[in-house]
Amino acid sequence: MKKILVIGATGQIGSELTMELRDRYGNGNVVAGYIQGAEPKGELKESGPSALADVTDGEGIANVVKEYDIDTIYNLAALLSVVAEGKPRLAWKIGIDGLWNILEVARENHCAVFTPSSIGSFGLTTPHVMTPQDTIQRPSTIYGVTKVTTELLSDYYYLKYGVDTRAVRFPGIISYVTPPGGGTTDYAVDIFYYAVRGEKFICPIKQGTLMDMIYMPDALNAAITLMEADSTKLVHRNAFNLASMSFAPETIYAAIKKRLPDFQMEYQVDPLKQHIAESWPDCMDDSCARQEWGWMPKYDLDAMTDDMLEKLKLKLNR
Ligand code: SER
């Protein structure tokens, strides 16, 4: 029986992943780990156990792991790319010192660990079209530096200590539940809120800038399927390219406008976001994920757009 700790359970991915894991493994078997000031609320709080689990406090994490007899940790603590550029030391402290704490706890308590990497682990010198699984990773952001280090440190703990580390390189994640905070791909979430509220959207990313994106249900499914996968079939571990859709701003604008003909968008490019976006892949080759553990997304741009608009209209009472 799996006993799971989700670190960052009130964040963008964590809030939905915790509920999905509770559905699959039973409410009592999934602990929502949070930091002070970001306590779980509502259904997340009511539906199962929660515990203070700050990655910068290794002893605290060890206590939670022992108390709940945890065997699997989903470590989602991170600063997104744009925020991290303003606080590089903090990004490292959370992303890498924090990861080290978790890997040590995992080594001592025999836990499997999932720590996501990202399209941000690539840089300008990476081949941008059908970016291979194994390729150049020289990112120019601190977010990317922490993600490459995450991949390497996770591999190191697997090779040296046998800790069962696994990960994916997430594209930009689109969801209607918890908004992302301070990422380069956030525009692809924000655009839906403006569209549903009937407001004009000011796009911070230049026309023609392609990035990989993924709808949250596919992202959750990827993380859980990988952690369930037969270990003997895995050639790679940290971390698998994931792809399901790749688009530029004008393409998602057109997809929304097809459904909401009055929707308007104009461009006001944010130089930092644009610089970061241009350093990331246009589209990744995810054939290793497909071959090694059966990755198969359900949502393309049209299916995601239909679902996002339907769910956001309900959420925003429109
Ligand atoms: N969504 C992240 C960001 O934009 C990338 O993984 O920072």
Side-chain angles (χ1 to χ4, degrees):
M1 192 49 169
K2 277 205 190 313
K3 299 278 276 178
I4 299 169
L5 170 62
V6 179
I7 292 178
T10 58
Q12 184 203 5
I13 305 174
S15 55
E16 291 187 63
L17 182 64
T18 305
M19 297 308 293
E20 182 66 29
L21 289 166
R22 284 181 177 165
D23 270 359
R24 297 196 194 197
Y25 299 106
N27 286 352
N29 295 318
V30 182
V31 180
Y34 61 89
I35 53 167
Q36 228 144 32
E39 289 79 7
K41 294 191 190 97
E43 210 191 348
L44 190 62
K45 182 179 171 174
E46 308 306 330
S47 61
S50 47
L52 191 63
D54 185 331
V55 286
T56 61
D57 171 16
E59 214 179 301
I61 302 269
N63 290 338
V64 175
V65 163
K66 288 191 183 107
E67 184 183 340
Y68 290 93
D69 202 16
I70 297 297
D71 56 44
T72 305
I73 300 172
Y74 285 84
N75 167 28
L76 305 171
L79 296 187
L80 289 182
S81 57
V82 178
V83 173
E85 282 309 292
K87 302 173 186 171
R89 289 295 296 258
L90 183 63
W92 182 271
K93 189 174 166 198
I94 293 171
I96 302 308
D97 296 340
L99 172 64
W100 202 299
N101 286 337
I102 288 166
L103 290 171
E104 273 299 292
V105 172
R107 179 170 75 84
E108 283 163 7
N109 296 277
H110 310 289
C111 301
V113 182
F114 176 89
T115 310
S117 184
S118 158
I119 50 175
S121 69
F122 297 114
L124 269 177
T125 49
T126 304
H128 271 36
V129 178
M130 288 303 274
T131 302
Q133 173 66 39
D134 300 307
T135 186
I136 301 164
Q137 289 182 280
R138 305 290 288 186
S140 53
T141 61
I142 190 67
Y143 178 72
V145 171
T146 65
K147 288 302 180 190
V148 176
T149 311
T150 294
E151 295 186 11
L152 294 172
L153 198 57
S154 298
D155 271 350
Y156 181 76
Y157 264 73
Y158 172 68
L159 294 169
K160 191 169 171 88
Y161 303 116
V163 176
D164 186 1
T165 55
R166 306 180 188 195
V168 295
R169 294 181 184 131
F170 276 133
I173 299 178
I174 298 172
S175 149
Y176 58 89
V177 181
T178 305
T184 305
T185 58
D186 292 10
Y187 90 88
V189 179
D190 296 340
I191 192 171
F192 283 101
Y193 280 84
Y194 282 80
V196 169
R197 289 195 302 249
E199 295 167 10
K200 183 198 269 186
F201 179 61
I202 307 294
C203 183
I205 301 291
K206 213 185 267 176
Q207 186 168 345
T209 311
L210 287 160
M211 283 186 279
D212 276 302
M213 304 280 177
I214 190 171
Y215 198 36
M216 184 64 94
D218 278 332
L220 302 181
N221 205 36
I224 298 171
T225 307
L226 174 58
M227 291 311 279
E228 290 276 358
D230 177 354
S231 167
T232 61
K233 302 242 164 70
L234 299 181
V235 180
H236 299 84
R237 281 182 164 268
N238 303 288
F240 286 92
N241 285 1
L242 277 192
S244 60
M245 62 186 99
S246 159
F247 54 76
E250 66 274 19
T251 313
I252 188 168
Y253 172 56
I256 296 173
K257 203 172 169 65
K258 200 163 91 187
R259 292 151 174 94
L260 297 172
D262 293 337
F263 180 45
Q264 296 295 320
M265 178 175 96
E266 72 181 50
Y267 295 93
Q268 241 171 62
V269 174
D270 176 312
L272 173 61
K273 289 183 181 172
Q274 185 61 30
H275 174 73
I276 296 175
E278 283 175 16
S279 76
W280 290 355
D282 292 354
C283 61
M284 292 187 284
D285 175 356
D286 64 354
S287 49
C288 290
R290 290 175 191 251
Q291 280 155 23
E292 292 175 39
W293 49 276
W295 157 242
M296 181 59 73
K298 289 202 179 86
Y299 289 87
D300 60 10
L301 176 61
D302 275 323
M304 181 270 289
T305 304
D306 283 336
D307 202 58
M308 273 296 282
L309 290 175
E310 186 192 321
K311 301 285 171 42
L312 266 188
K313 279 179 191 163
L314 289 174
K315 182 175 172 179
L316 304 177
N317 287 322
R318 298 286 167 153

